[in-house]
Amino acid sequence: MLEVKGIIPAMVTPLDQREEIDEKALREMVNRYIDAGVHGLFCLGTNGEFFNLSFEEKLAVAQIVIDEASGRVPVYAGAGCPGTGETRRLAQRLEQAGADALSVITPYFLTYTQPELQYHFEAVAGDTSLPIVLYTIPVRTGNTLSVQTVAKLAELPNVVGIKDSSGSFDNILQLIDRTPESFSVLAGTDSLILSTLMAGGTGAIAATANIFPSTVVAIYEHWRCGEFEQAEQAQRVLRDLRTAFALGTLPSVLKAVLNEIGLPAGPARRPVAPLTPQALEEVRRMVANYTERGLL
């Protein structure tokens, strides 16, 4: 079974000006991240606008990433949909497409009980032989996977880890404490990457790795070598970018920064709007600051 560890960029989905998938830009993105030393690729997550892509578009994105990665690193594909039936169908199609693992977000729109969430994940896990990384991001979905539920799901042979985007370090600590050593706990909040590693987590699925893949990889590699001061210095680089996320609706800021540094990401899909002129100016000042410091 796949060992889930290291730095895995939570990839944006490049779009052209018609808001259609930009295959060329997506392939370039895959190679940029692999060249930076990432340990995997995660497509069709929150930053990848999975919620605003059709079923067929999701398959197209996954197939492009899988094809371009060509086995160089594992590809984690987001299979989460609002309902169990659609999630199961997408999971099966992603497995057929050659994904190495699935990320399955909690269902969303309705608020579900913990038994209902467990019921959902058990059904999905039973329909695929791929490793599954659970994904909890309650601020977006309105549903939280409790530590107790995660511990139960971790008993399933192909549920191998969790991306925790709760923003709660205490929650991460409890997950590490209550799940088997073989179960991977990954930071989904980029400010907690080093803290998670120090506490016994195995890595991160990181939005900031879209912009700073080498820097985010450096957090992990310095930590792995016991170079904790250097790891902390790399962690600090991410602060200004994370602060800038508040300037627009996800993932508009990430895409604006990528476009600004010459990496075509295009617009976010509507109803997400472009950044205001004032917000875009702030992004440009941030990029200039990073560039002056030799970080971009």
Short mmCIF file of all heavy atoms in Angstrom, two decimals, residues 4-51:
data_model
loop_
_atom_site.label_atom_id
_atom_site.label_comp_id
_atom_site.label_asym_id
_atom_site.label_seq_id
_atom_site.Cartn_x
_atom_site.Cartn_y
_atom_site.Cartn_z
N VAL A 4 1.97 7.37 2.36
CA VAL A 4 1.59 8.76 2.09
C VAL A 4 2.44 9.68 2.96
O VAL A 4 2.28 9.73 4.18
CB VAL A 4 0.09 8.99 2.38
CG1 VAL A 4 -0.29 10.43 2.06
CG2 VAL A 4 -0.76 8.01 1.58
N LYS A 5 3.35 10.42 2.32
CA LYS A 5 4.25 11.28 3.08
C LYS A 5 4.83 12.36 2.18
O LYS A 5 4.72 12.28 0.95
CB LYS A 5 5.40 10.46 3.69
CG LYS A 5 6.31 9.81 2.67
CD LYS A 5 7.43 9.02 3.34
CE LYS A 5 8.39 8.43 2.30
NZ LYS A 5 9.50 7.69 2.94
N GLY A 6 5.44 13.35 2.82
CA GLY A 6 6.13 14.40 2.09
C GLY A 6 5.24 15.57 1.74
O GLY A 6 4.17 15.77 2.33
N ILE A 7 5.69 16.34 0.78
CA ILE A 7 4.98 17.55 0.34
C ILE A 7 4.27 17.27 -0.97
O ILE A 7 4.89 16.87 -1.97
CB ILE A 7 5.96 18.73 0.17
CG1 ILE A 7 6.66 19.02 1.51
CG2 ILE A 7 5.23 19.96 -0.35
CD1 ILE A 7 5.72 19.34 2.67
N ILE A 8 2.97 17.48 -0.95
CA ILE A 8 2.10 17.20 -2.09
C ILE A 8 1.34 18.49 -2.43
O ILE A 8 0.48 18.92 -1.66
CB ILE A 8 1.12 16.06 -1.74
CG1 ILE A 8 1.89 14.81 -1.27
CG2 ILE A 8 0.23 15.74 -2.94
CD1 ILE A 8 1.04 13.82 -0.51
N PRO A 9 1.68 19.15 -3.53
CA PRO A 9 0.97 20.39 -3.86
C PRO A 9 -0.53 20.16 -4.08
O PRO A 9 -0.92 19.20 -4.75
CB PRO A 9 1.63 20.85 -5.17
CG PRO A 9 2.95 20.17 -5.20
CD PRO A 9 2.75 18.86 -4.49
N ALA A 10 -1.34 21.03 -3.49
CA ALA A 10 -2.78 21.04 -3.75
C ALA A 10 -2.99 21.89 -5.00
O ALA A 10 -3.20 23.10 -4.93
CB ALA A 10 -3.54 21.62 -2.56
N MET A 11 -2.92 21.26 -6.15
CA MET A 11 -2.80 21.96 -7.42
C MET A 11 -4.04 22.78 -7.78
O MET A 11 -5.17 22.31 -7.61
CB MET A 11 -2.55 20.95 -8.54
CG MET A 11 -1.28 20.15 -8.41
SD MET A 11 -1.12 18.90 -9.72
CE MET A 11 -0.98 19.99 -11.17
N VAL A 12 -3.79 23.98 -8.30
CA VAL A 12 -4.88 24.71 -8.94
C VAL A 12 -5.13 24.08 -10.30
O VAL A 12 -4.30 23.33 -10.82
CB VAL A 12 -4.55 26.21 -9.10
CG1 VAL A 12 -4.24 26.86 -7.77
CG2 VAL A 12 -3.40 26.43 -10.09
N THR A 13 -6.29 24.36 -10.86
CA THR A 13 -6.63 23.89 -12.20
C THR A 13 -6.53 25.07 -13.16
O THR A 13 -7.36 25.98 -13.11
CB THR A 13 -8.05 23.31 -12.25
OG1 THR A 13 -8.15 22.22 -11.34
CG2 THR A 13 -8.40 22.84 -13.66
N PRO A 14 -5.50 25.12 -14.01
CA PRO A 14 -5.38 26.25 -14.94
C PRO A 14 -6.55 26.29 -15.92
O PRO A 14 -6.95 25.26 -16.46
CB PRO A 14 -4.06 25.98 -15.68
CG PRO A 14 -3.36 24.94 -14.87
CD PRO A 14 -4.42 24.16 -14.18
N LEU A 15 -7.07 27.49 -16.12
CA LEU A 15 -8.15 27.70 -17.08
C LEU A 15 -7.74 28.77 -18.08
O LEU A 15 -6.94 29.66 -17.75
CB LEU A 15 -9.43 28.15 -16.36
CG LEU A 15 -10.00 27.22 -15.27
CD1 LEU A 15 -11.20 27.87 -14.60
CD2 LEU A 15 -10.37 25.85 -15.84
N ASP A 16 -8.29 28.70 -19.28
CA ASP A 16 -8.06 29.78 -20.24
C ASP A 16 -9.09 30.88 -20.02
O ASP A 16 -9.89 30.82 -19.08
CB ASP A 16 -8.07 29.24 -21.67
CG ASP A 16 -9.41 28.61 -22.08
OD1 ASP A 16 -10.45 28.97 -21.48
OD2 ASP A 16 -9.41 27.76 -22.99
N GLN A 17 -9.08 31.88 -20.87
CA GLN A 17 -9.97 33.03 -20.67
C GLN A 17 -11.44 32.70 -20.91
O GLN A 17 -12.32 33.46 -20.51
CB GLN A 17 -9.52 34.21 -21.55
CG GLN A 17 -8.18 34.79 -21.14
CD GLN A 17 -8.12 35.15 -19.66
OE1 GLN A 17 -9.00 35.85 -19.13
NE2 GLN A 17 -7.10 34.66 -18.96
N ARG A 18 -11.70 31.56 -21.50
CA ARG A 18 -13.09 31.09 -21.64
C ARG A 18 -13.49 30.22 -20.46
O ARG A 18 -14.58 29.65 -20.45
CB ARG A 18 -13.24 30.30 -22.94
CG ARG A 18 -13.00 31.11 -24.22
CD ARG A 18 -12.99 30.21 -25.42
NE ARG A 18 -11.93 29.19 -25.29
CZ ARG A 18 -11.88 28.06 -26.01
NH1 ARG A 18 -12.84 27.78 -26.87
NH2 ARG A 18 -10.89 27.21 -25.85
N GLU A 19 -12.57 30.10 -19.49
CA GLU A 19 -12.77 29.28 -18.29
C GLU A 19 -12.84 27.80 -18.62
O GLU A 19 -13.51 27.02 -17.92
CB GLU A 19 -14.01 29.74 -17.49
CG GLU A 19 -13.90 31.19 -17.01
CD GLU A 19 -15.09 31.65 -16.18
OE1 GLU A 19 -15.90 30.80 -15.77
OE2 GLU A 19 -15.21 32.86 -15.96
N GLU A 20 -12.13 27.40 -19.66
CA GLU A 20 -11.98 25.99 -20.01
C GLU A 20 -10.60 25.50 -19.56
O GLU A 20 -9.67 26.30 -19.40
CB GLU A 20 -12.13 25.80 -21.53
CG GLU A 20 -13.46 26.28 -22.09
CD GLU A 20 -14.65 25.49 -21.57
OE1 GLU A 20 -14.47 24.30 -21.21
OE2 GLU A 20 -15.76 26.06 -21.51
N ILE A 21 -10.47 24.20 -19.35
CA ILE A 21 -9.21 23.64 -18.86
C ILE A 21 -8.08 23.94 -19.84
O ILE A 21 -8.19 23.72 -21.05
CB ILE A 21 -9.35 22.11 -18.67
CG1 ILE A 21 -10.39 21.81 -17.58
CG2 ILE A 21 -8.00 21.48 -18.30
CD1 ILE A 21 -10.86 20.37 -17.58
N ASP A 22 -6.98 24.46 -19.31
CA ASP A 22 -5.80 24.79 -20.10
C ASP A 22 -4.81 23.62 -19.97
O ASP A 22 -4.02 23.56 -19.03
CB ASP A 22 -5.18 26.09 -19.59
CG ASP A 22 -4.04 26.59 -20.47
OD1 ASP A 22 -3.42 25.77 -21.17
OD2 ASP A 22 -3.75 27.81 -20.42
N GLU A 23 -4.88 22.70 -20.92
CA GLU A 23 -4.07 21.48 -20.82
C GLU A 23 -2.58 21.78 -20.83
O GLU A 23 -1.81 21.19 -20.05
CB GLU A 23 -4.43 20.52 -21.96
CG GLU A 23 -3.61 19.24 -21.92
CD GLU A 23 -4.05 18.22 -22.96
OE1 GLU A 23 -5.14 18.37 -23.53
OE2 GLU A 23 -3.27 17.26 -23.20
N LYS A 24 -2.15 22.67 -21.70
CA LYS A 24 -0.72 22.98 -21.80
C LYS A 24 -0.20 23.52 -20.47
O LYS A 24 0.86 23.10 -19.98
CB LYS A 24 -0.48 23.98 -22.92
CG LYS A 24 0.98 24.38 -23.10
CD LYS A 24 1.14 25.27 -24.32
CE LYS A 24 2.60 25.66 -24.57
NZ LYS A 24 3.11 26.56 -23.53
N ALA A 25 -0.93 24.44 -19.88
CA ALA A 25 -0.50 25.03 -18.61
C ALA A 25 -0.50 23.98 -17.49
O ALA A 25 0.39 23.97 -16.62
CB ALA A 25 -1.42 26.19 -18.23
N LEU A 26 -1.47 23.07 -17.52
CA LEU A 26 -1.54 22.03 -16.50
C LEU A 26 -0.35 21.08 -16.62
O LEU A 26 0.26 20.70 -15.61
CB LEU A 26 -2.86 21.25 -16.63
CG LEU A 26 -3.13 20.16 -15.60
CD1 LEU A 26 -3.01 20.67 -14.18
CD2 LEU A 26 -4.52 19.56 -15.84
N ARG A 27 0.03 20.74 -17.83
CA ARG A 27 1.19 19.87 -18.01
C ARG A 27 2.47 20.57 -17.55
O ARG A 27 3.35 19.96 -16.92
CB ARG A 27 1.30 19.44 -19.48
CG ARG A 27 0.21 18.47 -19.91
CD ARG A 27 0.37 18.00 -21.34
NE ARG A 27 -0.71 17.10 -21.73
CZ ARG A 27 -0.72 15.79 -21.50
NH1 ARG A 27 0.30 15.23 -20.87
NH2 ARG A 27 -1.74 15.04 -21.87
N GLU A 28 2.59 21.85 -17.84
CA GLU A 28 3.76 22.61 -17.39
C GLU A 28 3.82 22.65 -15.87
O GLU A 28 4.90 22.55 -15.27
CB GLU A 28 3.71 24.02 -17.96
CG GLU A 28 3.96 24.09 -19.46
CD GLU A 28 3.73 25.48 -20.03
OE1 GLU A 28 3.28 26.37 -19.28
OE2 GLU A 28 3.99 25.66 -21.24
N MET A 29 2.67 22.78 -15.25
CA MET A 29 2.58 22.83 -13.80
C MET A 29 3.08 21.52 -13.19
O MET A 29 3.85 21.51 -12.23
CB MET A 29 1.13 23.10 -13.41
CG MET A 29 0.91 23.67 -12.04
SD MET A 29 -0.82 24.20 -11.86
CE MET A 29 -0.75 25.81 -12.63
N VAL A 30 2.63 20.40 -13.75
CA VAL A 30 3.06 19.09 -13.26
C VAL A 30 4.58 18.99 -13.28
O VAL A 30 5.21 18.57 -12.29
CB VAL A 30 2.43 17.97 -14.12
CG1 VAL A 30 3.11 16.62 -13.84
CG2 VAL A 30 0.93 17.87 -13.87
N ASN A 31 5.20 19.38 -14.37
CA ASN A 31 6.65 19.27 -14.49
C ASN A 31 7.38 20.23 -13.56
O ASN A 31 8.42 19.88 -13.00
CB ASN A 31 7.08 19.49 -15.94
CG ASN A 31 6.71 18.31 -16.83
OD1 ASN A 31 7.07 17.18 -16.56
ND2 ASN A 31 5.94 18.57 -17.87
N ARG A 32 6.82 21.41 -13.38
CA ARG A 32 7.46 22.37 -12.46
C ARG A 32 7.50 21.80 -11.04
O ARG A 32 8.53 21.88 -10.36
CB ARG A 32 6.67 23.69 -12.47
CG ARG A 32 7.19 24.72 -11.47
CD ARG A 32 6.45 26.04 -11.61
NE ARG A 32 7.01 27.03 -10.72
CZ ARG A 32 6.43 27.45 -9.60
NH1 ARG A 32 5.25 26.94 -9.23
NH2 ARG A 32 7.00 28.36 -8.83
N TYR A 33 6.43 21.21 -10.60
CA TYR A 33 6.38 20.69 -9.24
C TYR A 33 7.29 19.47 -9.08
O TYR A 33 7.99 19.34 -8.08
CB TYR A 33 4.94 20.33 -8.86
CG TYR A 33 3.99 21.50 -8.90
CD1 TYR A 33 2.64 21.31 -9.19
CD2 TYR A 33 4.44 22.80 -8.69
CE1 TYR A 33 1.77 22.38 -9.24
CE2 TYR A 33 3.57 23.88 -8.75
CZ TYR A 33 2.24 23.66 -9.03
OH TYR A 33 1.38 24.72 -9.09
N ILE A 34 7.28 18.59 -10.06
CA ILE A 34 8.14 17.41 -9.97
C ILE A 34 9.61 17.82 -9.98
O ILE A 34 10.43 17.29 -9.21
CB ILE A 34 7.82 16.42 -11.10
CG1 ILE A 34 6.41 15.83 -10.91
CG2 ILE A 34 8.86 15.30 -11.15
CD1 ILE A 34 5.95 14.92 -12.03
N ASP A 35 9.95 18.79 -10.82
CA ASP A 35 11.33 19.28 -10.87
C ASP A 35 11.75 19.89 -9.53
O ASP A 35 12.94 19.90 -9.19
CB ASP A 35 11.49 20.31 -11.98
CG ASP A 35 11.42 19.70 -13.37
OD1 ASP A 35 11.51 18.45 -13.48
OD2 ASP A 35 11.26 20.45 -14.35
N ALA A 36 10.79 20.41 -8.77
CA ALA A 36 11.08 21.03 -7.47
C ALA A 36 11.24 19.99 -6.36
O ALA A 36 11.58 20.35 -5.23
CB ALA A 36 9.98 22.01 -7.10
N GLY A 37 10.99 18.72 -6.68
CA GLY A 37 11.22 17.67 -5.69
C GLY A 37 10.02 17.28 -4.86
O GLY A 37 10.19 16.65 -3.80
N VAL A 38 8.81 17.60 -5.31
CA VAL A 38 7.63 17.23 -4.52
C VAL A 38 7.50 15.72 -4.45
O VAL A 38 8.07 14.98 -5.26
CB VAL A 38 6.34 17.85 -5.10
CG1 VAL A 38 6.45 19.38 -5.14
CG2 VAL A 38 6.01 17.29 -6.48
N HIS A 39 6.74 15.26 -3.46
CA HIS A 39 6.62 13.83 -3.20
C HIS A 39 5.31 13.23 -3.73
O HIS A 39 5.03 12.05 -3.52
CB HIS A 39 6.73 13.57 -1.70
CG HIS A 39 7.97 14.15 -1.10
ND1 HIS A 39 8.01 15.43 -0.57
CD2 HIS A 39 9.22 13.66 -0.98
CE1 HIS A 39 9.24 15.67 -0.13
NE2 HIS A 39 9.98 14.63 -0.37
N GLY A 40 4.52 14.04 -4.40
CA GLY A 40 3.26 13.61 -4.98
C GLY A 40 2.54 14.81 -5.55
O GLY A 40 2.98 15.96 -5.38
N LEU A 41 1.44 14.57 -6.23
CA LEU A 41 0.61 15.63 -6.80
C LEU A 41 -0.84 15.37 -6.42
O LEU A 41 -1.30 14.23 -6.50
CB LEU A 41 0.73 15.65 -8.33
CG LEU A 41 2.11 15.96 -8.90
CD1 LEU A 41 2.14 15.65 -10.39
CD2 LEU A 41 2.50 17.41 -8.64
N PHE A 42 -1.52 16.43 -6.00
CA PHE A 42 -2.93 16.30 -5.62
C PHE A 42 -3.76 17.22 -6.51
O PHE A 42 -3.69 18.44 -6.40
CB PHE A 42 -3.10 16.67 -4.14
CG PHE A 42 -4.53 16.76 -3.67
CD1 PHE A 42 -5.50 15.89 -4.15
CD2 PHE A 42 -4.91 17.70 -2.73
CE1 PHE A 42 -6.81 15.98 -3.71
CE2 PHE A 42 -6.21 17.79 -2.27
CZ PHE A 42 -7.16 16.94 -2.77
N CYS A 43 -4.51 16.62 -7.41
CA CYS A 43 -5.41 17.39 -8.27
C CYS A 43 -6.85 17.21 -7.81
O CYS A 43 -7.17 16.26 -7.10
CB CYS A 43 -5.25 16.98 -9.73
SG CYS A 43 -5.62 15.24 -10.09
N LEU A 44 -7.69 18.15 -8.21
CA LEU A 44 -9.13 18.10 -7.93
C LEU A 44 -9.45 18.27 -6.45
O LEU A 44 -10.38 17.67 -5.93
CB LEU A 44 -9.75 16.79 -8.47
CG LEU A 44 -9.57 16.55 -9.96
CD1 LEU A 44 -10.11 15.18 -10.35
CD2 LEU A 44 -10.25 17.65 -10.78
N GLY A 45 -8.66 19.11 -5.79
CA GLY A 45 -8.98 19.49 -4.42
C GLY A 45 -9.69 20.83 -4.39
O GLY A 45 -10.16 21.34 -5.42
N THR A 46 -9.76 21.41 -3.22
CA THR A 46 -10.46 22.69 -3.06
C THR A 46 -9.82 23.76 -3.93
O THR A 46 -10.51 24.50 -4.64
CB THR A 46 -10.45 23.10 -1.58
OG1 THR A 46 -10.97 22.04 -0.80
CG2 THR A 46 -11.30 24.34 -1.36
N ASN A 47 -8.49 23.87 -3.88
CA ASN A 47 -7.80 24.86 -4.70
C ASN A 47 -7.87 24.53 -6.19
O ASN A 47 -7.66 25.39 -7.03
CB ASN A 47 -6.35 24.99 -4.25
CG ASN A 47 -6.25 25.70 -2.92
OD1 ASN A 47 -6.44 26.91 -2.83
ND2 ASN A 47 -5.97 24.95 -1.85
N GLY A 48 -8.18 23.28 -6.50
CA GLY A 48 -8.37 22.87 -7.89
C GLY A 48 -9.77 23.08 -8.41
O GLY A 48 -10.08 22.68 -9.53
N GLU A 49 -10.63 23.72 -7.57
CA GLU A 49 -12.00 24.09 -7.96
C GLU A 49 -12.84 22.87 -8.36
O GLU A 49 -13.69 22.95 -9.25
CB GLU A 49 -11.99 25.12 -9.09
CG GLU A 49 -11.27 26.42 -8.73
CD GLU A 49 -11.17 27.40 -9.88
OE1 GLU A 49 -12.13 28.14 -10.12
OE2 GLU A 49 -10.10 27.41 -10.54
N PHE A 50 -12.62 21.75 -7.67
CA PHE A 50 -13.37 20.53 -8.01
C PHE A 50 -14.87 20.76 -7.94
O PHE A 50 -15.64 20.17 -8.70
CB PHE A 50 -12.97 19.39 -7.05
CG PHE A 50 -13.66 19.44 -5.71
CD1 PHE A 50 -14.83 18.75 -5.49
CD2 PHE A 50 -13.15 20.22 -4.68
CE1 PHE A 50 -15.48 18.81 -4.26
CE2 PHE A 50 -13.78 20.29 -3.45
CZ PHE A 50 -14.96 19.58 -3.24
N PHE A 51 -15.30 21.61 -7.03
CA PHE A 51 -16.73 21.88 -6.81
C PHE A 51 -17.36 22.61 -7.98
O PHE A 51 -18.58 22.70 -8.08
CB PHE A 51 -16.89 22.74 -5.54
CG PHE A 51 -15.95 23.91 -5.51
CD1 PHE A 51 -16.29 25.10 -6.12
CD2 PHE A 51 -14.71 23.82 -4.89
CE1 PHE A 51 -15.43 26.18 -6.13
CE2 PHE A 51 -13.83 24.89 -4.88
CZ PHE A 51 -14.19 26.08 -5.51
#
